[in-house]
Amino acid sequence: MSDSTPTQLRFSPLDGFTVRADFEGGALSSDFGPLLLRGVDQQIGLTHRLAQAIHDGRHASYIDHSMEDLLTQRIFQIACGYADANDANALRRDPVFKLGAERLPLEAEQDLASAPTFSRLENAASHRDLYRMAQAFVEQFVASYAKPPEMIVLDMDHSEDRTHGQQELAFYNQHYQSHCYLPLFLFEGLSGKFITAALRPGKRPKGAENAMIIKRVLKRLRQHWPETHILLRGDAHFANVELMQLALDDPYTDFLFGLTSNSRLKKRAEPLLEHTRRLYEARCHNARLAEQDPPQRSRTFHELDYQARSWPKAFRTVLKAEVMALGDNPRFVVTSLDDPTPEILYAELYCARGQDENFIKMMKNDLASDRTSDCRFAANHLRLFFSCAAYVLHHALRSELLQGTELARAQPSTVIIKLFKLAVRVVQYKDRVKLHLPGSCPVKDLLHTITERLYRLPRPPSPLNTC
């Protein structure tokens, strides 16, 4: 029997008026985001593509929620800031989340799935399902281009994903000094589009493992874009012969990797560093004569021919000879590119890979890709893919609908706070559903702009199963 006394919130009186609050508002929601995400997903077909990649072994007579409905609900919740599957217990009756899943908002029999359903989904995922989903993300990336691009930059990076329990394949990593997973993320460096990801054990990857993953991605991309120039870009732990050989085997692929210093490189760099030291000392001397602050650093860029023992041949190596007040800071990169000058190659092409770390931060901090606390490795991999899908939706929302607005370059957390977290009153009639937003809504004009853009776009046909 339910409690006949409604729960109330009490506040300090105001000018002789008592102030109380209750939870009897009816069909209200605190999230407007699912409706915007629904419009984006209808255009790009992401959840349909991912659902087609998962084998649904459930008996049809016991299914209340299709695989596409489950993925839609879980991904939309993460994209709106609800990282835990337990949140589904409260949100399954939320009228706007039900609308986002294309269900009638006030019909009890059309409530969404609960947390136990998602727990079963995560633990039912097989390695084949995950492999097909990884391919589906690559296909989604390809479909985001209307025609083959002339060039893409395939940025690759690993990121620490700390574990705090008995998760499968969670190892101690000395570099991070923690027990963790070490997932690999692949982004397109020029646009920030997500390509695919792979959850990995916490140990440092070897070159053969990196090359195995990248080779499969390249093969998939080449099926669609045989002549697109692809630049493989990564930091020093990707500078291994296996990845270099992948670029050498493809006439339309090059690489640009950081390179760890060693005794041979230091010896080659010493005369060039000495020249930069003299330049720095001269600049400091001139600054003292002019009674100005000394420069923070001096940099010069140089080109070397260097071949490690494992490399098939010598590759172009660029040195950034940097001298600061605290000492020398030499840095090296190795590449198969011939045209750019050493300064452009390092300062503009290589340093731009730092943006890849910002994409990963969005994935982790805003969309909870590191919420991998399940005991099973495969279940954690599926959770990672849920967050990756939320990133794809947010990126499409920013790049397609928010262009020219104040949120065109906003992080997912900013979009969630400013655009998604809006109070909505839902009224359902026999032939229509009406949504009432606050009259003082601060993003009223912005919402009108993007909803009109979505409404005027024709809904594309469902993508074929290409996995």
Side-chain angles (χ1 to χ4, degrees), residues 29 42 50 71 77-78 112 114 145 219 231 234 248-249 256 271 281 321 329 338 357 374 417 430 439 450 453 459:
S29 175
Q42 286 176 344
L50 293 177
L71 294 186
Q77 287 178 5
I78 293 175
L112 302 177
S114 61
Y145 290 86
K219 181 180 178 181
L231 177 64
L248 294 178
D249 293 341
L256 175 59
E281 291 171 359
N329 182 36
D338 298 324
E357 298 180 3
D374 198 284
I417 293 172
K430 289 184 178 181
I450 61 178
R453 290 177 180 178
R459 182 170 179 175

PDB file of all heavy atoms in Angstrom, residues 29 42 50 71 77-78 112 114 145 219 231 234 248-249 256 271 281 321 329 338 357 374 417 430 439 450 453 459:
ATOM      1  N   SER A  29       9.304  16.538 -17.147  1.00  0.00           N
ATOM      2  CA  SER A  29      10.633  15.981 -17.348  1.00  0.00           C
ATOM      3  C   SER A  29      11.659  17.079 -17.148  1.00  0.00           C
ATOM      4  O   SER A  29      11.379  18.256 -17.404  1.00  0.00           O
ATOM      5  CB  SER A  29      10.768  15.389 -18.759  1.00  0.00           C
ATOM      6  OG  SER A  29      12.099  14.947 -18.990  1.00  0.00           O
ATOM      7  N   GLN A  42      17.970   9.895 -36.117  1.00  0.00           N
ATOM      8  CA  GLN A  42      17.179   9.581 -37.299  1.00  0.00           C
ATOM      9  C   GLN A  42      17.926   9.941 -38.577  1.00  0.00           C
ATOM     10  O   GLN A  42      17.789   9.261 -39.604  1.00  0.00           O
ATOM     11  CB  GLN A  42      15.840  10.319 -37.251  1.00  0.00           C
ATOM     12  CG  GLN A  42      14.851   9.731 -36.261  1.00  0.00           C
ATOM     13  CD  GLN A  42      13.570  10.559 -36.190  1.00  0.00           C
ATOM     14  OE1 GLN A  42      13.533  11.711 -36.645  1.00  0.00           O
ATOM     15  NE2 GLN A  42      12.523   9.978 -35.628  1.00  0.00           N
ATOM     16  N   LEU A  50      24.188   0.034 -35.036  1.00  0.00           N
ATOM     17  CA  LEU A  50      24.772  -0.727 -33.928  1.00  0.00           C
ATOM     18  C   LEU A  50      23.892  -1.912 -33.544  1.00  0.00           C
ATOM     19  O   LEU A  50      24.388  -2.995 -33.216  1.00  0.00           O
ATOM     20  CB  LEU A  50      24.982   0.193 -32.725  1.00  0.00           C
ATOM     21  CG  LEU A  50      26.028   1.300 -32.885  1.00  0.00           C
ATOM     22  CD1 LEU A  50      26.067   2.166 -31.639  1.00  0.00           C
ATOM     23  CD2 LEU A  50      27.406   0.725 -33.170  1.00  0.00           C
ATOM     24  N   LEU A  71      19.372   0.022 -27.090  1.00  0.00           N
ATOM     25  CA  LEU A  71      20.539   0.844 -27.375  1.00  0.00           C
ATOM     26  C   LEU A  71      20.174   2.320 -27.385  1.00  0.00           C
ATOM     27  O   LEU A  71      20.919   3.162 -26.862  1.00  0.00           O
ATOM     28  CB  LEU A  71      21.151   0.446 -28.717  1.00  0.00           C
ATOM     29  CG  LEU A  71      21.753  -0.957 -28.812  1.00  0.00           C
ATOM     30  CD1 LEU A  71      22.439  -1.149 -30.154  1.00  0.00           C
ATOM     31  CD2 LEU A  71      22.733  -1.225 -27.686  1.00  0.00           C
ATOM     32  N   GLN A  77      20.588   8.112 -22.585  1.00  0.00           N
ATOM     33  CA  GLN A  77      20.784   8.436 -21.172  1.00  0.00           C
ATOM     34  C   GLN A  77      22.212   8.890 -20.909  1.00  0.00           C
ATOM     35  O   GLN A  77      22.436   9.883 -20.193  1.00  0.00           O
ATOM     36  CB  GLN A  77      20.436   7.224 -20.305  1.00  0.00           C
ATOM     37  CG  GLN A  77      18.944   6.946 -20.212  1.00  0.00           C
ATOM     38  CD  GLN A  77      18.617   5.721 -19.382  1.00  0.00           C
ATOM     39  OE1 GLN A  77      19.506   5.114 -18.788  1.00  0.00           O
ATOM     40  NE2 GLN A  77      17.357   5.350 -19.347  1.00  0.00           N
ATOM     41  N   ILE A  78      23.190   8.198 -21.474  1.00  0.00           N
ATOM     42  CA  ILE A  78      24.579   8.612 -21.299  1.00  0.00           C
ATOM     43  C   ILE A  78      24.803   9.979 -21.936  1.00  0.00           C
ATOM     44  O   ILE A  78      25.469  10.849 -21.365  1.00  0.00           O
ATOM     45  CB  ILE A  78      25.525   7.562 -21.898  1.00  0.00           C
ATOM     46  CG1 ILE A  78      25.442   6.254 -21.099  1.00  0.00           C
ATOM     47  CG2 ILE A  78      26.968   8.069 -21.920  1.00  0.00           C
ATOM     48  CD1 ILE A  78      26.258   5.119 -21.675  1.00  0.00           C
ATOM     49  N   LEU A 112       9.933   2.289 -20.704  1.00  0.00           N
ATOM     50  CA  LEU A 112      11.214   1.817 -21.210  1.00  0.00           C
ATOM     51  C   LEU A 112      11.774   0.711 -20.312  1.00  0.00           C
ATOM     52  O   LEU A 112      11.152   0.307 -19.328  1.00  0.00           O
ATOM     53  CB  LEU A 112      12.189   2.990 -21.301  1.00  0.00           C
ATOM     54  CG  LEU A 112      11.727   4.161 -22.182  1.00  0.00           C
ATOM     55  CD1 LEU A 112      12.744   5.298 -22.134  1.00  0.00           C
ATOM     56  CD2 LEU A 112      11.509   3.705 -23.608  1.00  0.00           C
ATOM     57  N   SER A 114      14.259  -1.398 -17.692  1.00  0.00           N
ATOM     58  CA  SER A 114      14.797  -1.138 -16.356  1.00  0.00           C
ATOM     59  C   SER A 114      16.264  -1.550 -16.294  1.00  0.00           C
ATOM     60  O   SER A 114      16.811  -2.146 -17.232  1.00  0.00           O
ATOM     61  CB  SER A 114      13.995  -1.900 -15.306  1.00  0.00           C
ATOM     62  OG  SER A 114      14.076  -3.296 -15.548  1.00  0.00           O
ATOM     63  N   TYR A 145      30.589  11.137 -44.456  1.00  0.00           N
ATOM     64  CA  TYR A 145      31.104  11.923 -45.574  1.00  0.00           C
ATOM     65  C   TYR A 145      30.205  11.706 -46.791  1.00  0.00           C
ATOM     66  O   TYR A 145      29.915  10.562 -47.159  1.00  0.00           O
ATOM     67  CB  TYR A 145      32.538  11.514 -45.919  1.00  0.00           C
ATOM     68  CG  TYR A 145      33.562  11.908 -44.882  1.00  0.00           C
ATOM     69  CD1 TYR A 145      33.817  11.093 -43.789  1.00  0.00           C
ATOM     70  CD2 TYR A 145      34.285  13.091 -44.999  1.00  0.00           C
ATOM     71  CE1 TYR A 145      34.767  11.445 -42.836  1.00  0.00           C
ATOM     72  CE2 TYR A 145      35.232  13.457 -44.060  1.00  0.00           C
ATOM     73  CZ  TYR A 145      35.467  12.633 -42.980  1.00  0.00           C
ATOM     74  OH  TYR A 145      36.403  12.980 -42.036  1.00  0.00           O
ATOM     75  N   LYS A 219      41.826  -1.483 -43.769  1.00  0.00           N
ATOM     76  CA  LYS A 219      41.198  -2.338 -44.778  1.00  0.00           C
ATOM     77  C   LYS A 219      39.746  -1.932 -44.993  1.00  0.00           C
ATOM     78  O   LYS A 219      39.262  -1.867 -46.132  1.00  0.00           O
ATOM     79  CB  LYS A 219      41.288  -3.802 -44.347  1.00  0.00           C
ATOM     80  CG  LYS A 219      40.672  -4.777 -45.341  1.00  0.00           C
ATOM     81  CD  LYS A 219      40.792  -6.215 -44.851  1.00  0.00           C
ATOM     82  CE  LYS A 219      40.138  -7.179 -45.831  1.00  0.00           C
ATOM     83  NZ  LYS A 219      40.241  -8.595 -45.348  1.00  0.00           N
ATOM     84  N   LEU A 231      46.900   9.711 -43.169  1.00  0.00           N
ATOM     85  CA  LEU A 231      48.090   9.947 -42.350  1.00  0.00           C
ATOM     86  C   LEU A 231      47.884   9.298 -40.982  1.00  0.00           C
ATOM     87  O   LEU A 231      46.959   9.662 -40.250  1.00  0.00           O
ATOM     88  CB  LEU A 231      48.343  11.447 -42.186  1.00  0.00           C
ATOM     89  CG  LEU A 231      49.521  11.830 -41.285  1.00  0.00           C
ATOM     90  CD1 LEU A 231      50.837  11.337 -41.876  1.00  0.00           C
ATOM     91  CD2 LEU A 231      49.567  13.336 -41.046  1.00  0.00           C
ATOM     92  N   GLY A 234      50.536   9.491 -34.223  1.00  0.00           N
ATOM     93  CA  GLY A 234      50.502   9.061 -32.831  1.00  0.00           C
ATOM     94  C   GLY A 234      51.767   9.471 -32.111  1.00  0.00           C
ATOM     95  O   GLY A 234      52.729   9.956 -32.721  1.00  0.00           O
ATOM     96  N   LEU A 248      54.082   1.825 -45.470  1.00  0.00           N
ATOM     97  CA  LEU A 248      54.913   1.563 -46.639  1.00  0.00           C
ATOM     98  C   LEU A 248      54.196   0.675 -47.653  1.00  0.00           C
ATOM     99  O   LEU A 248      54.413   0.804 -48.866  1.00  0.00           O
ATOM    100  CB  LEU A 248      56.222   0.896 -46.211  1.00  0.00           C
ATOM    101  CG  LEU A 248      57.179   1.744 -45.364  1.00  0.00           C
ATOM    102  CD1 LEU A 248      58.405   0.930 -44.985  1.00  0.00           C
ATOM    103  CD2 LEU A 248      57.585   3.009 -46.104  1.00  0.00           C
ATOM    104  N   ASP A 249      53.346  -0.213 -47.176  1.00  0.00           N
ATOM    105  CA  ASP A 249      52.648  -1.136 -48.068  1.00  0.00           C
ATOM    106  C   ASP A 249      51.501  -0.485 -48.829  1.00  0.00           C
ATOM    107  O   ASP A 249      50.962  -1.086 -49.759  1.00  0.00           O
ATOM    108  CB  ASP A 249      52.104  -2.332 -47.262  1.00  0.00           C
ATOM    109  CG  ASP A 249      53.225  -3.199 -46.702  1.00  0.00           C
ATOM    110  OD1 ASP A 249      54.350  -3.109 -47.211  1.00  0.00           O
ATOM    111  OD2 ASP A 249      52.967  -3.950 -45.733  1.00  0.00           O
ATOM    112  N   LEU A 256      53.276   9.694 -39.143  1.00  0.00           N
ATOM    113  CA  LEU A 256      53.964  10.751 -38.400  1.00  0.00           C
ATOM    114  C   LEU A 256      53.864  10.388 -36.923  1.00  0.00           C
ATOM    115  O   LEU A 256      52.796  10.476 -36.328  1.00  0.00           O
ATOM    116  CB  LEU A 256      53.320  12.118 -38.670  1.00  0.00           C
ATOM    117  CG  LEU A 256      53.853  13.305 -37.866  1.00  0.00           C
ATOM    118  CD1 LEU A 256      55.337  13.509 -38.112  1.00  0.00           C
ATOM    119  CD2 LEU A 256      53.068  14.579 -38.206  1.00  0.00           C
ATOM    120  N   PRO A 271      75.303  18.890 -31.532  1.00  0.00           N
ATOM    121  CA  PRO A 271      75.769  20.124 -32.201  1.00  0.00           C
ATOM    122  C   PRO A 271      74.634  21.099 -32.491  1.00  0.00           C
ATOM    123  O   PRO A 271      74.828  22.326 -32.415  1.00  0.00           O
ATOM    124  CB  PRO A 271      76.397  19.592 -33.500  1.00  0.00           C
ATOM    125  CG  PRO A 271      76.713  18.164 -33.236  1.00  0.00           C
ATOM    126  CD  PRO A 271      75.649  17.685 -32.309  1.00  0.00           C
ATOM    127  N   GLU A 281      71.335  32.270 -25.427  1.00  0.00           N
ATOM    128  CA  GLU A 281      72.177  33.153 -24.612  1.00  0.00           C
ATOM    129  C   GLU A 281      72.269  34.542 -25.236  1.00  0.00           C
ATOM    130  O   GLU A 281      72.253  35.559 -24.522  1.00  0.00           O
ATOM    131  CB  GLU A 281      73.565  32.533 -24.460  1.00  0.00           C
ATOM    132  CG  GLU A 281      73.577  31.277 -23.603  1.00  0.00           C
ATOM    133  CD  GLU A 281      74.919  30.566 -23.641  1.00  0.00           C
ATOM    134  OE1 GLU A 281      75.821  31.066 -24.354  1.00  0.00           O
ATOM    135  OE2 GLU A 281      75.054  29.519 -22.970  1.00  0.00           O
ATOM    136  N   ALA A 321      64.952  21.416 -31.429  1.00  0.00           N
ATOM    137  CA  ALA A 321      66.000  21.749 -30.465  1.00  0.00           C
ATOM    138  C   ALA A 321      65.512  22.944 -29.647  1.00  0.00           C
ATOM    139  O   ALA A 321      65.535  24.080 -30.108  1.00  0.00           O
ATOM    140  CB  ALA A 321      67.300  22.074 -31.186  1.00  0.00           C
ATOM    141  N   ASN A 329      65.468  20.819 -23.969  1.00  0.00           N
ATOM    142  CA  ASN A 329      64.261  20.018 -24.149  1.00  0.00           C
ATOM    143  C   ASN A 329      64.170  19.547 -25.605  1.00  0.00           C
ATOM    144  O   ASN A 329      63.316  19.991 -26.366  1.00  0.00           O
ATOM    145  CB  ASN A 329      63.017  20.832 -23.763  1.00  0.00           C
ATOM    146  CG  ASN A 329      61.741  20.007 -23.881  1.00  0.00           C
ATOM    147  OD1 ASN A 329      61.727  18.816 -23.593  1.00  0.00           O
ATOM    148  ND2 ASN A 329      60.662  20.656 -24.304  1.00  0.00           N
ATOM    149  N   ASP A 338      57.529  13.854 -47.115  1.00  0.00           N
ATOM    150  CA  ASP A 338      58.700  14.512 -47.695  1.00  0.00           C
ATOM    151  C   ASP A 338      58.561  16.025 -47.771  1.00  0.00           C
ATOM    152  O   ASP A 338      59.550  16.746 -47.662  1.00  0.00           O
ATOM    153  CB  ASP A 338      58.964  13.972 -49.113  1.00  0.00           C
ATOM    154  CG  ASP A 338      59.284  12.486 -49.123  1.00  0.00           C
ATOM    155  OD1 ASP A 338      59.941  12.029 -48.171  1.00  0.00           O
ATOM    156  OD2 ASP A 338      58.864  11.797 -50.078  1.00  0.00           O
ATOM    157  N   GLU A 357      43.725  14.260 -27.470  1.00  0.00           N
ATOM    158  CA  GLU A 357      43.567  14.081 -26.030  1.00  0.00           C
ATOM    159  C   GLU A 357      42.332  14.813 -25.517  1.00  0.00           C
ATOM    160  O   GLU A 357      41.693  14.356 -24.560  1.00  0.00           O
ATOM    161  CB  GLU A 357      44.831  14.558 -25.311  1.00  0.00           C
ATOM    162  CG  GLU A 357      46.086  13.768 -25.694  1.00  0.00           C
ATOM    163  CD  GLU A 357      47.324  14.258 -24.982  1.00  0.00           C
ATOM    164  OE1 GLU A 357      47.203  15.181 -24.134  1.00  0.00           O
ATOM    165  OE2 GLU A 357      48.419  13.730 -25.266  1.00  0.00           O
ATOM    166  N   ASP A 374      32.103  -3.472 -14.447  1.00  0.00           N
ATOM    167  CA  ASP A 374      31.556  -4.826 -14.495  1.00  0.00           C
ATOM    168  C   ASP A 374      32.687  -5.840 -14.339  1.00  0.00           C
ATOM    169  O   ASP A 374      33.835  -5.577 -14.686  1.00  0.00           O
ATOM    170  CB  ASP A 374      30.828  -5.054 -15.817  1.00  0.00           C
ATOM    171  CG  ASP A 374      29.894  -6.255 -15.747  1.00  0.00           C
ATOM    172  OD1 ASP A 374      30.397  -7.392 -15.795  1.00  0.00           O
ATOM    173  OD2 ASP A 374      28.676  -6.056 -15.657  1.00  0.00           O
ATOM    174  N   ILE A 417      24.261  20.824 -20.140  1.00  0.00           N
ATOM    175  CA  ILE A 417      23.792  21.783 -19.141  1.00  0.00           C
ATOM    176  C   ILE A 417      22.916  22.866 -19.775  1.00  0.00           C
ATOM    177  O   ILE A 417      21.847  23.214 -19.254  1.00  0.00           O
ATOM    178  CB  ILE A 417      24.993  22.415 -18.410  1.00  0.00           C
ATOM    179  CG1 ILE A 417      25.706  21.356 -17.556  1.00  0.00           C
ATOM    180  CG2 ILE A 417      24.550  23.589 -17.539  1.00  0.00           C
ATOM    181  CD1 ILE A 417      27.001  21.841 -16.944  1.00  0.00           C
ATOM    182  N   LYS A 430      -5.524  12.847 -27.960  1.00  0.00           N
ATOM    183  CA  LYS A 430      -5.826  11.683 -28.787  1.00  0.00           C
ATOM    184  C   LYS A 430      -5.022  11.666 -30.072  1.00  0.00           C
ATOM    185  O   LYS A 430      -4.676  10.604 -30.588  1.00  0.00           O
ATOM    186  CB  LYS A 430      -7.321  11.652 -29.124  1.00  0.00           C
ATOM    187  CG  LYS A 430      -8.219  11.317 -27.939  1.00  0.00           C
ATOM    188  CD  LYS A 430      -9.673  11.208 -28.380  1.00  0.00           C
ATOM    189  CE  LYS A 430     -10.557  10.816 -27.200  1.00  0.00           C
ATOM    190  NZ  LYS A 430     -11.987  10.678 -27.611  1.00  0.00           N
ATOM    191  N   GLY A 439       8.634  29.684 -20.000  1.00  0.00           N
ATOM    192  CA  GLY A 439       8.559  30.930 -20.754  1.00  0.00           C
ATOM    193  C   GLY A 439       9.849  31.721 -20.684  1.00  0.00           C
ATOM    194  O   GLY A 439      10.147  32.517 -21.576  1.00  0.00           O
ATOM    195  N   ILE A 450      17.521  25.090 -34.145  1.00  0.00           N
ATOM    196  CA  ILE A 450      17.950  23.719 -34.421  1.00  0.00           C
ATOM    197  C   ILE A 450      16.760  22.780 -34.644  1.00  0.00           C
ATOM    198  O   ILE A 450      16.859  21.831 -35.431  1.00  0.00           O
ATOM    199  CB  ILE A 450      18.862  23.190 -33.294  1.00  0.00           C
ATOM    200  CG1 ILE A 450      18.149  23.158 -31.959  1.00  0.00           C
ATOM    201  CG2 ILE A 450      20.112  24.026 -33.200  1.00  0.00           C
ATOM    202  CD1 ILE A 450      19.016  22.600 -30.842  1.00  0.00           C
ATOM    203  N   ARG A 453      15.738  23.244 -38.186  1.00  0.00           N
ATOM    204  CA  ARG A 453      16.674  22.560 -39.082  1.00  0.00           C
ATOM    205  C   ARG A 453      16.369  21.064 -39.136  1.00  0.00           C
ATOM    206  O   ARG A 453      16.396  20.446 -40.206  1.00  0.00           O
ATOM    207  CB  ARG A 453      18.104  22.797 -38.612  1.00  0.00           C
ATOM    208  CG  ARG A 453      18.602  24.223 -38.809  1.00  0.00           C
ATOM    209  CD  ARG A 453      20.005  24.403 -38.251  1.00  0.00           C
ATOM    210  NE  ARG A 453      20.483  25.770 -38.434  1.00  0.00           N
ATOM    211  CZ  ARG A 453      21.664  26.214 -37.997  1.00  0.00           C
ATOM    212  NH1 ARG A 453      22.483  25.385 -37.345  1.00  0.00           N
ATOM    213  NH2 ARG A 453      22.020  27.460 -38.213  1.00  0.00           N
ATOM    214  N   ARG A 459      13.714  12.517 -43.489  1.00  0.00           N
ATOM    215  CA  ARG A 459      14.263  11.387 -42.752  1.00  0.00           C
ATOM    216  C   ARG A 459      14.824  10.374 -43.749  1.00  0.00           C
ATOM    217  O   ARG A 459      14.093   9.882 -44.617  1.00  0.00           O
ATOM    218  CB  ARG A 459      13.199  10.725 -41.879  1.00  0.00           C
ATOM    219  CG  ARG A 459      13.736   9.569 -41.055  1.00  0.00           C
ATOM    220  CD  ARG A 459      12.721   9.102 -40.034  1.00  0.00           C
ATOM    221  NE  ARG A 459      13.215   7.989 -39.252  1.00  0.00           N
ATOM    222  CZ  ARG A 459      12.575   7.445 -38.240  1.00  0.00           C
ATOM    223  NH1 ARG A 459      11.379   7.912 -37.897  1.00  0.00           N
ATOM    224  NH2 ARG A 459      13.088   6.443 -37.556  1.00  0.00           N
TER     225      ARG A 459
END
